Amino acid sequence: MKKYLIAGIVSLLFLTGCWDERQFKNVKLVLSLGFDQGEEGQIIQTVSIPSVSRATEGPGSESLQILSTSAHTPLQARGKIDRMIPESYDPAKVKVIVLGEDLAKQDIYPILDDMYRNPRSNLNAYLAVVEEGTAQDVISMNHTGATRISNYISGLLEAAVSSTHATGENLQLLCAELLEPGIDFSIPLLKIEDDGNLLTFSGMGLFHDKTYTGEKIGAEQTTLYMLLQGEKGRVARLTKKIDDHGKDEILDYITVSVAENDRKMKIENKDGEIAVTINLDMKVKIVEYPSDHLYVKGRIEEIGKKLSKKLTDESVDIISQVQEANSDVFGIGRRVKAYHPEVWKELDWREEFPEISIEPKVKVEIIQHGIIN
Amino acid sequence: MTNPPQQMTQQNEQKLSQRQFFFIIVQTQIGVGVLSVPYELHSVAKQDSWISLLLGAVAIQVLLVGIWFVAKNFPHDTLFTMNDKMFTKWVGRPLSILYIFYFIGVGTLIILLFSRMISIWVLPNTPLWVMALLMVTVCMYMVGGGLLVLGRLYTMLSFLLVFLLCLIIFSTKETHIMYLFPMLETGWGKIFAGINKAIFSFFGFIVSLVIFSKVEGTNKQKLKTIVMAHWFVTLFYLFTVFASFTFFSTSELPLVPEPVLYMLKTFSLPIIARIDLFFISIWVINVATSFATYLYLSSLGLSDLFKRHSQNQWIVVVGICVFSISIYIGLDMSKIETFNKVVTYSGYIFSLTLPLIMVPVSYLRKKKDKGGAS
Amino acid sequence: MVGIFLFIRGKLRLGDANMGIFTRFFRNNRDKLADRHMSEPSNEKERPSSKKLSENVKYILDAFHQSNDLKIRVLKKGDAALLYFESLAEHEKIHEKIFAPIEMGHTEDVFHLPNAKQTNDLEEVVRTLLRGHAIYMEEGKKEISQFSVTSSFGRTPEEPQNERVVRGAHDGFVENMMTNINLVRKRVEHRDLTIKYFKLGKKTNTNVAVVYMDGIADPMIVQEIETRLHSLDSDMIHSPGHIEEFIEDKSNSPFPQMLNTERPDRVAANLVEGRVAIMAEGSPTTLIAPATFFMFYQAPDDYNMRWFTGTFVRLIRLFSFIIAVTLPAFYIAVVSFHFEVIPDELIIPVKASINEIAYPPILEALVMVIIIELIREAGIRLPAPIGQTIGIVGGLVIGDAVVRAGLVSNLMVIVVALTAIASFVVPSNELSTALRLLTFPLIILAGTIGFIGIVFGMLFIIIHLTRLQSFGVPYFAPLAPLSLVDLKDTFVRLPMYMMKLRPKDAHAVKPIALNPSREWKNRDEQNQSKQGSGGNDQPSSTDDTTK
């Protein structure tokens, strides 16, 4: 009895097919996706499909196919593209999603809905916005060097993360901030330069709710901007002008590398008025200071004070930009909701955020200065 | 000697150890629901529902003492023979049959929810019968070894729970404690309403009543094991709830029915890029262990009621029943929901109300027996 | 028949006796004799010897169907005869110890030889002759003398081919059971070492010995083994593998339920742990029961290494179990179902490797696994130099050509080769074969429903291992039933002085294997520890197997 049962089951399994089989060799991989605003509310989807041919020894040769189509939704576009290629393409390994600036200025959630809904999609992908350009340009860029565009962009973004320029949030981590009221987010901006041969990281684009505001924190300021958010990559270097000697410009500058940063945010409720203080305590190492003379007594403390003042000033600048864009990247609103729920209920945070007072206080302490004084 | 030789011919009468009892309870409770517990709880009391979970756990704790009280009055009986003794044959028999139906119902629900989950997350085109068939046959083979084999197996497979915990811990690197606040936003009313959902996730403790007499040790030790198992499960749930509540924002969680999996989908390891697939594969084993328990319980009931056949034949009968019912219901979302409601509400009767009724009845019965004897 | 008589006559002529009576007697009765033999069953009953020499000789000759190698020497002018199998007995011995003294008239001396034995039973004589004894009979005497003059041709105990060790003893069992028992006895010099003989096989009469330590081994298990051996009723038993199938619990399982070894040190160690060994004449392989799954992963070398290395090696071996069983299945599931689990860095190389392969991966895998098995099977029985050639031709040439031709992806070659290597890591040949067999169902499951299939397959295997028992002992101990104490010699190999208790799965009657042995380490506390050493080794866990 038992034996027949087992035999029957086994043969049943053999008889039937493999319902969900998706042979990897029959799939066209898409590693980077681009979306742009098209005409009449349509979107333009651009994909780059690498195809590799096998070599008996060593790496195979690689060729890229760039396809672009316009449709009403991303999945419709996918269907259209499928009709252009011999096999079907699969976005399960998408590494970067690039949005055109025009599209990003509208609600970006509908574009990403498929990514969130499909169990196979890669929520680990990076999101980036193209500044003054279209995603199509970026994806079909004829860049120098042999790497794929997906590698190029993700490498660029990863480098930005490790040097404390960008948050490195992937699709899923953005999702919470996309949906939750009281938290906004910023997305890395890319810019094409050198006649389409070079791609640069040009700062962090500030989003309000689900749309790009058009405002950005420039690449120069992003390190401090990240530190203010309490995040630090592998290295965080700040180059600032602290002196004004007049003769040699280069002697006025100092570069420090942040060893430890400690950000504290204090939210006070003064009769319904929200006042925020952001304290940023940093311990830094001097890594570049051409004017030397650090052995002079009190010199280090002096530099520390100058730096603190300089950075506080810049922080004020950054925060005013953020408030101007009405992009609550610090999650102040969510904190107000969490810790002062009664205030939150009475406020319309969209209206309120640009008006509240946010006071940054940066304190720098120099702990090392390399192997020379 | 301290180590008396084992009786080879009396394998089946060997009793479970305390540790095996513990893991049988734990593995029965942690099953198909673990992926969606945070979502279910969140649907009522939002970010405060972890309080509901704790309150629910305390309520169940009281009930467990009741169950223990009932079971210790009948040191040689399973639930089914107990029914006969407590309510006489005329009430006890039908009651046992209802219990068996309930267990079969829960088993079927497990199969359905499991197949639906696999269909949503991993294999969208694979038909239901393949999943149901695999699960039912593997579990039939498992249960065929007897309770002792189940105990041994569950104990060993519990290493996987540690593994699941590690995976969840891995994903806690992106937590925002802030999301748990403001506390008590929804108010105590909602929190109490949430206890309801919390109790759902604990169903399965009834197994301790059924197999109580098949465990070695004093009554006190057994109570300790039951309580420990219960709090272990509570902690496990609490941990997953915290992990997913702090990972997802309050407005995102209602969109994600399986937050634990979704959370893992975000991260990648150097060797395996998608941890959620890994997690769901291990979770399959946890589902198998809970289904196997219900298969065991219902076949045990049948063989206790109709002494004519051995339990192994009943296992096959129950297996075929579960398989046919689940094929009949199919993967239709609304049908599964209806079935789910029927089973969970009958859970109120069979797992909550009836054991509570049994407490005084068993006490009286015992008193009467004693009086009769002396 | 004529040939036989010519032969016998020739032999008789050699002995300088009057052989007339015999020859005549045989000739007259040859047809009658043949008839009687057809009708007479091979009996084990007693048959008293007659006073008449000729009758006795006739009976014996009949019993052996006039076998040509049975030699008869007529002595004392026909009043006595010496019988022996020239194929079994040693000529030198017979000549020096028996023949010469009898011829010289010192008959009494011969009977006082230490190897002489008297009997009246002709059936016993038949049996002893088969054992290589020589028989001396005299006219008018009922007593028959037997002399043990067996010649044996045996290998010298040398290291078994498939269980080599780097450090430690380099001897192994041989085909002679006495030598084997000798090797064990020398290692376990204790009076509790008990050996029980059995005769198995109605036609082969193979000597089988059950060896155990009385007082350590569980008497229930010993008895169970004896019962199962007794109920074995077969014409032929030629090797322990043969016996194994008769007495094991489940022969429908791919897993071996008794440990095979040719190493005396391994047998000795297992005996002291409380297990039982079964040896058979004519085979160097010894069976050890009850066995558990993890015993097959222990090698004698582990105990000769430092314990760190021993542990490391053991972990490698257990890891190899997982690779051997699941790797091809995992690979197939990945490339035909879940390619999203491939890390970003690998996705393009993997894609490049399998892009233009004609066949689906499941077919690729099955073909490659079968090719590996072919190469292995072809090389295994060939002499070493040819075997190597096969390996090189098969492994290198075919492997390379098959990839170049684009029939199989190079990743698949890597996967299958790795699997094959991993399956050979297991110290036991039986288990290694079992593992390679288990790969196939898993490959098919993985090719049908991907990861979920592998999980179900593995779950099935684990359930099977948990349900399996070897002589009443759970096969998957110490994992199921879990016994944390016994993990000391399973996943890790702790220092020897920490293995205070015998493994529970052996069901030893005495659990304590050693008393504190490193007390010299804390000489200051010596007195205290001496007082405490009596009762601190009680077994602590309460697992179900001990009940």
Side-chain angles (χ1 to χ4, degrees):
Chain A
M1 169 68 190
K2 214 157 110 195
K3 275 170 205 158
Y4 293 118
L5 202 72
I6 292 167
I9 289 160
V10 170
S11 52
L12 266 176
L13 280 177
F14 271 117
L15 280 173
T16 52
C18 319
W19 305 269
D20 283 295
E21 200 184 51
R22 264 183 328 154
Q23 291 296 348
F24 183 38
K25 58 178 187 180
N26 298 337
V27 163
K28 288 276 184 200
L29 278 177
V30 165
L31 300 179
S32 43
L33 269 175
F35 293 102
D36 283 304
Q37 181 65 47
E39 284 165 16
E40 293 166 17
Q42 290 201 325
I43 54 161
I44 301 171
Q45 182 173 0
T46 314
V47 294
S48 82
I49 301 172
S51 40
V52 260
S53 58
R54 202 176 61 93
T56 38
E57 268 155 40
S61 57
E62 218 182 295
S63 59
L64 271 181
Q65 196 178 6
I66 312 275
L67 293 170
S68 210
T69 185
S70 64
H72 291 286
T73 70
L75 270 186
Q76 195 185 20
R78 190 173 149 189
K80 274 189 174 174
I81 288 175
D82 270 348
R83 276 174 252 147
M84 302 178 201
I85 52 173
E87 289 139 351
S88 66
Y89 90 77
D90 199 303
K93 290 305 286 183
V94 167
K95 226 170 162 186
V96 259
I97 295 177
V98 186
L99 301 176
E101 193 175 359
D102 295 337
L103 188 68
K105 281 181 176 160
Q106 294 168 24
D107 191 350
I108 60 167
Y109 182 79
I111 308 289
L112 303 174
D113 182 72
D114 169 52
M115 295 296 288
Y116 288 127
R117 197 174 294 278
N118 185 348
R120 288 210 164 109
S121 66
N122 182 17
L123 289 181
N124 224 343
Y126 290 114
L127 196 64
V129 172
V130 184
E131 192 189 7
E132 296 163 17
T134 60
Q136 195 172 358
D137 295 340
V138 171
I139 300 284
S140 54
M141 212 173 107
N142 190 13
H143 56 283
T144 46
T147 47
R148 289 175 292 277
I149 186 72
S150 58
N151 270 6
Y152 189 21
I153 302 174
S154 65
L156 201 69
L157 294 179
E158 269 157 26
V161 171
S162 69
S163 57
T164 324
H165 287 297
T167 43
E169 287 180 308
N170 57 30
L171 275 185
Q172 173 51 37
L173 298 176
L174 283 176
C175 186
E177 293 163 355
L178 208 59
L179 296 172
E180 185 76 6
I183 304 187
D184 293 321
F185 56 98
S186 50
I187 285 179
L189 295 178
L190 299 173
K191 196 171 183 182
I192 304 174
E193 278 173 11
D194 195 16
D195 294 332
N197 283 326
L198 199 67
L199 202 61
T200 51
F201 169 76
S202 67
M204 295 296 282
L206 296 171
F207 273 63
H208 171 68
D209 213 4
K210 291 170 188 165
T211 55
Y212 177 41
T213 55
E215 302 287 325
K216 69 161 185 175
I217 306 287
E220 282 304 309
Q221 284 182 314
T222 41
T223 308
L224 186 57
Y225 168 69
M226 293 315 301
L227 290 171
L228 281 173
Q229 286 197 38
E231 304 210 15
K232 180 177 162 286
R234 202 180 293 266
V235 267
R237 276 204 198 104
L238 297 161
T239 303
K240 296 295 162 210
K241 187 179 179 181
I242 50 164
D243 291 322
D244 202 0
H245 294 304
K247 24 179 200 171
D248 257 343
E249 183 81 351
I250 194 166
L251 290 179
D252 298 342
Y253 284 87
I254 185 170
T255 308
V256 293
S257 159
V258 180
E260 279 173 46
N261 68 316
D262 179 21
R263 189 209 62 168
K264 284 202 180 80
M265 197 191 283
K266 224 163 69 190
I267 298 171
E268 275 169 291
N269 171 21
K270 291 172 185 161
D271 309 326
E273 288 282 305
I274 300 291
V276 183
T277 349
I278 298 176
N279 283 313
L280 181 62
D281 286 356
M282 291 194 286
K283 291 193 170 136
V284 301
K285 305 172 190 171
I286 297 177
V287 286
E288 189 183 50
Y289 187 56
S291 53
D292 292 338
H293 306 298
L294 291 176
Y295 50 84
V296 179
K297 208 179 171 190
R299 183 89 178 111
I300 290 180
E301 284 76 15
E302 194 195 325
I303 292 173
K305 268 179 200 156
K306 277 186 182 169
L307 257 179
S308 304
K309 191 176 175 302
K310 179 85 183 161
L311 290 175
T312 309
D313 289 347
E314 277 190 29
S315 302
V316 172
D317 188 33
I318 290 172
I319 285 168
S320 67
Q321 282 183 56
V322 166
Q323 280 187 307
E324 212 165 288
N326 197 0
S327 172
D328 186 3
V329 286
F330 298 110
I332 296 170
R334 188 62 183 82
R335 280 191 175 72
V336 172
K337 188 187 171 194
Y339 304 116
H340 304 281
E342 65 291 339
V343 183
W344 170 260
K345 272 177 205 151
E346 286 163 20
L347 291 179
D348 182 0
W349 191 248
R350 286 167 195 231
E351 304 282 314
E352 191 68 20
F353 178 68
E355 307 299 322
I356 62 168
S357 88
I358 303 175
E359 189 191 344
K361 276 180 193 160
V362 184
K363 221 173 109 190
V364 177
E365 189 187 335
I366 294 165
I367 54 166
Q368 267 181 32
H369 44 73
I371 51 175
I372 57 163
N373 273 328
Chain B
M1 244 8 262
T2 44
N3 235 350
Q6 186 184 3
Q7 297 282 311
M8 270 182 250
T9 47
Q10 295 174 350
Q11 276 291 306
N12 295 330
E13 287 163 37
Q14 199 183 325
K15 287 195 167 185
L16 287 177
S17 71
Q18 294 288 326
R19 182 160 62 192
Q20 287 167 341
F21 188 40
F22 175 84
F23 282 113
I24 283 189
I25 301 174
V26 168
Q27 290 278 16
T28 308
Q29 294 197 342
I30 298 178
V32 80
V34 71
L35 295 182
S36 49
V37 161
Y39 170 79
E40 295 284 341
L41 288 173
H42 191 270
S43 63
V44 183
K46 295 268 161 63
Q47 65 268 39
D48 297 324
S49 39
W50 57 272
I51 306 173
S52 317
L53 183 74
L54 277 179
L55 290 176
V58 173
I60 297 286
Q61 170 65 63
V62 175
L63 186 71
L64 284 176
V65 177
I67 282 181
W68 169 76
F69 186 79
V70 175
K72 94 183 164 92
N73 286 336
F74 300 94
H76 304 293
D77 291 298
T78 64
L79 171 71
F80 309 101
T81 45
M82 254 182 241
N83 281 339
D84 280 6
K85 289 188 182 167
M86 272 188 286
F87 302 105
T88 70
K89 217 172 175 181
W90 297 107
V91 187
R93 280 278 165 112
L95 199 64
S96 295
I97 291 176
L98 285 178
Y99 260 110
I100 291 165
F101 277 129
Y102 169 61
F103 291 142
I104 293 179
V106 177
T108 315
L109 184 66
I110 291 176
I111 296 282
L112 285 172
L113 292 179
F114 159 77
S115 310
R116 187 177 70 174
M117 195 74 81
I118 294 291
S119 156
I120 292 174
W121 276 89
V122 196
L123 304 166
N125 303 320
T126 305
L128 165 70
W129 67 264
V130 179
M131 281 301 130
L133 189 68
L134 271 173
M135 189 52 109
V136 171
T137 40
V138 166
C139 288
M140 266 160 46
Y141 185 60
M142 195 192 302
V143 178
L147 187 62
L148 203 62
V149 166
L150 287 189
R152 288 175 183 167
L153 206 61
Y154 288 9
T155 313
M156 176 173 55
L157 293 177
S158 297
F159 282 115
L160 295 175
L161 285 181
V162 181
F163 211 69
L164 290 187
L165 271 183
C166 287
L167 285 182
I168 299 176
I169 288 172
F170 178 74
S171 66
T172 51
K173 60 183 185 185
E174 283 290 340
T175 51
H176 304 273
I177 304 292
M178 186 171 76
Y179 288 151
L180 285 178
F181 293 96
M183 259 193 230
L184 304 180
E185 192 195 18
T186 48
W188 284 102
K190 286 271 182 191
I191 290 175
F192 278 112
I195 293 180
N196 191 10
K197 291 269 179 193
I199 287 176
F200 282 159
S201 53
F202 284 115
F203 281 163
F205 54 79
I206 193 77
V207 65
S208 51
L209 177 61
V210 183
I211 61 168
F212 191 83
S213 59
K214 295 180 183 282
V215 184
E216 68 178 16
T218 60
N219 286 329
K220 223 175 183 176
Q221 282 174 329
K222 291 187 201 175
L223 177 67
K224 214 170 115 194
T225 310
I226 295 174
V227 171
M228 265 162 54
H230 172 63
W231 287 101
F232 178 85
V233 175
T234 310
L235 282 181
F236 191 87
Y237 279 159
L238 206 60
F239 184 73
T240 48
V241 165
F242 270 127
S244 32
F245 280 18
T246 52
F247 184 86
F248 294 102
S249 64
T250 326
S251 44
E252 193 182 3
L253 206 54
L255 299 179
V256 205
E258 289 89 31
V260 182
L261 274 182
Y262 213 86
M263 192 160 77
L264 291 168
K265 200 164 161 348
T266 321
F267 301 101
S268 70
L269 290 174
I271 332 164
I272 291 191
R274 291 280 304 281
I275 313 177
D276 53 324
L277 270 174
F278 209 53
F279 190 93
I280 209 168
S281 306
I282 298 172
W283 167 83
V284 168
I285 292 176
N286 280 312
V287 176
T289 52
S290 6
F291 174 67
T293 309
Y294 285 103
L295 187 61
Y296 174 78
L297 293 182
S298 38
S299 61
L300 177 78
L302 284 167
S303 66
D304 271 354
L305 275 185
F306 311 100
K307 296 207 166 62
R308 222 173 299 158
H309 302 282
S310 75
Q311 198 180 342
N312 279 6
Q313 278 164 308
W314 288 118
I315 291 171
V316 178
V317 172
V318 173
I320 292 171
C321 270
V322 170
F323 179 70
S324 332
I325 302 174
S326 44
I327 295 295
Y328 175 73
I329 295 176
L331 280 184
D332 188 331
M333 227 154 91
S334 59
K335 272 188 194 165
I336 291 185
E337 277 315 309
T338 324
F339 188 69
N340 194 349
K341 271 204 183 115
V342 171
V343 172
T344 35
Y345 284 111
S346 52
Y348 272 114
I349 304 170
F350 292 106
S351 293
L352 299 179
T353 324
L354 277 172
L356 282 178
I357 295 174
M358 285 177 195
V359 174
V361 174
S362 68
Y363 181 69
L364 290 175
R365 177 59 54 169
K366 204 186 175 193
K367 224 175 169 186
K368 203 176 147 196
D369 282 356
K370 257 191 185 166
S374 64
Chain C
M1 285 301 264
V2 178
I4 296 168
F5 286 106
L6 287 176
F7 188 69
I8 290 177
R9 203 168 51 187
K11 292 286 169 200
L12 288 171
R13 204 174 287 134
L14 286 173
D16 50 348
N18 181 2
M19 74 288 169
I21 326 156
F22 292 106
T23 10
R24 219 177 303 132
F25 175 81
F26 292 137
R27 279 207 182 120
N28 292 345
N29 291 294
R30 68 176 187 210
D31 296 325
K32 216 167 122 192
L33 274 172
D35 285 346
R36 261 182 66 183
H37 266 288
M38 299 291 281
S39 57
E40 205 173 60
S42 72
N43 43 10
E44 298 284 320
K45 289 161 285 170
E46 242 180 67
R47 158 94 188 210
S49 54
S50 141
K51 275 194 174 181
K52 271 189 154 181
L53 176 61
S54 57
E55 266 182 37
N56 288 344
V57 171
K58 190 191 78 181
Y59 182 82
I60 293 170
L61 272 174
D62 285 353
F64 292 113
H65 308 261
Q66 321 275 352
S67 187
N68 283 3
D69 58 344
L70 181 66
K71 209 166 174 184
I72 305 168
R73 299 189 103 175
V74 182
L75 302 165
K76 292 189 176 172
K77 301 196 167 65
D79 284 346
L82 187 71
L83 282 83
Y84 58 91
F85 274 107
E86 61 175 348
S87 49
L88 289 174
E90 205 167 315
H91 277 275
E92 303 266 299
K93 275 191 198 163
I94 293 174
H95 195 80
E96 275 173 32
K97 299 268 171 68
I98 310 165
F99 200 68
I102 290 174
E103 276 302 287
M104 289 161 80
H106 307 214
T107 322
E108 293 308 308
D109 291 357
V110 178
F111 298 127
H112 292 116
L113 278 176
N115 54 354
K117 215 178 119 195
Q118 311 284 327
T119 183
N120 285 333
D121 181 14
L122 275 174
E123 276 304 320
E124 192 190 325
V125 167
V126 167
R127 283 198 293 274
T128 49
L129 267 173
L130 279 174
R131 230 172 279 156
H133 290 203
I135 304 296
Y136 177 78
M137 297 182 288
E138 262 181 64
E139 179 74 40
K141 270 191 184 172
K142 269 200 156 188
E143 283 84 32
I144 303 170
S145 314
Q146 309 161 340
F147 308 93
S148 157
V149 285
T150 320
S151 73
S152 56
F153 307 94
R155 292 187 290 137
T156 47
E158 51 195 28
E159 181 155 37
Q161 291 275 318
N162 52 355
E163 282 176 279
R164 291 176 186 278
V165 292
V166 182
R167 268 171 69 187
H170 290 293
D171 55 352
F173 286 139
V174 292
E175 282 72 12
N176 184 334
M177 194 169 82
M178 285 307 138
T179 318
N180 295 349
I181 294 176
N182 167 295
L183 288 171
V184 174
R185 272 228 185 260
K186 276 194 182 148
R187 280 189 165 76
V188 188
E189 268 187 54
H190 197 276
R191 57 179 165 190
D192 282 350
L193 182 69
T194 317
I195 291 157
K196 283 191 179 166
Y197 286 153
F198 292 83
K199 281 255 183 220
L200 292 183
K202 276 185 301 201
K203 294 282 190 246
T204 53
N205 270 329
T206 314
N207 267 322
V208 173
V210 172
V211 187
Y212 62 95
M213 294 291 285
D214 198 294
I216 297 180
D218 181 359
M220 298 290 292
I221 292 176
V222 177
Q223 209 199 327
E224 180 70 25
I225 291 175
E226 282 173 14
T227 323
R228 290 187 192 182
L229 282 176
H230 273 304
S231 62
L232 200 165
D233 188 12
S234 156
D235 274 0
M236 183 180 75
I237 289 295
H238 62 69
S239 69
H242 216 124
I243 304 173
E244 195 179 344
E245 294 219 326
F246 279 106
I247 63 172
E248 70 192 352
D249 290 73
K250 275 215 176 90
S251 38
N252 289 340
S253 165
F255 294 100
Q257 290 145 56
M258 269 177 263
L259 183 70
N260 279 241
T261 182
E262 293 185 27
R263 297 190 58 89
D265 50 350
R266 211 168 176 193
V267 170
N270 276 300
L271 288 176
V272 179
E273 273 189 357
R275 296 181 215 275
V276 183
I278 302 168
M279 295 178 177
E281 182 72 51
S283 168
T285 313
T286 301
L287 298 174
I288 294 172
T292 65
F293 179 75
F294 293 103
M295 268 169 73
F296 293 90
Y297 279 91
Q298 300 168 338
D301 249 352
D302 300 354
Y303 303 95
N304 294 326
M305 293 177 194
R306 316 241 358 122
W307 74 270
F308 287 114
T309 3
T311 301
F312 174 68
V313 173
R314 206 165 265 181
L315 288 176
I316 292 267
R317 272 189 223 129
L318 288 164
F319 181 60
S320 80
F321 167 72
I322 297 169
I323 291 184
V325 176
T326 57
L327 187 65
F330 180 77
Y331 174 75
I332 287 167
V334 167
V335 295
S336 41
F337 284 88
H338 316 285
F339 64 79
E340 57 266 29
V341 304
I342 306 174
D344 292 349
E345 293 76 15
L346 277 178
I347 192 104
I348 292 293
V350 172
K351 174 92 178 146
S353 157
I354 65 167
N355 220 6
E356 284 152 39
I357 304 299
Y359 295 110
I362 182 164
L363 215 63
E364 249 183 293
L366 289 176
V367 166
M368 279 314 285
V369 171
I370 288 171
I371 286 179
I372 291 262
E373 290 298 300
L374 279 180
I375 295 170
R376 192 191 60 85
E377 195 59 28
I380 201 161
R381 268 172 274 279
L382 289 174
I386 310 178
Q388 278 175 8
T389 320
I390 293 276
I392 291 165
V393 171
L396 295 179
V397 179
I398 295 185
D400 191 43
V402 117
V403 171
R404 277 171 189 274
L407 293 175
V408 173
S409 66
N410 35 23
L411 269 177
M412 184 58 88
V413 173
I414 295 174
V415 165
V416 171
L418 213 59
T419 313
I421 291 171
S423 77
F424 287 117
V425 170
V426 193
S428 149
N429 187 38
E430 291 79 40
L431 194 62
S432 149
T433 349
L435 294 189
R436 273 182 278 127
L437 266 181
L438 284 177
T439 328
F440 288 100
L442 279 177
I443 286 178
I444 290 165
L445 275 170
T448 322
I449 43 175
F451 277 173
I452 306 296
I454 300 180
V455 170
F456 275 118
M458 285 306 282
L459 188 59
F460 196 85
I461 293 173
I462 288 174
I463 295 172
H464 177 74
L465 282 170
T466 313
R467 287 184 63 163
L468 207 58
Q469 296 200 330
S470 167
F471 294 93
V473 168
Y475 188 62
F476 212 36
L479 264 190
L482 185 66
S483 162
L484 291 175
V485 199
D486 283 342
L487 296 180
K488 68 180 187 293
D489 198 13
T490 308
F491 292 115
V492 295
R493 211 268 301 159
L494 290 185
M496 294 312 289
Y497 57 82
M498 288 171 79
M499 303 199 183
K500 287 179 185 155
L501 301 178
R502 291 180 220 281
K504 248 179 251 158
D505 51 72
H507 279 231
V509 180
K510 277 184 193 154
I512 301 160
L514 56 89
N515 290 321
S517 312
R518 281 168 70 88
E519 287 175 336
W520 44 264
K521 265 210 117 171
N522 35 9
R523 236 162 263 189
D524 298 342
E525 298 164 40
Q526 209 171 22
N527 290 331
Q528 291 174 353
S529 59
K530 256 183 192 166
Q531 283 165 10
S533 67
N536 57 355
D537 281 332
Q538 291 304 313
S540 48
S541 176
T542 56
D543 196 80
D544 62 56
T545 51
T546 60
K547 292 310 295 177

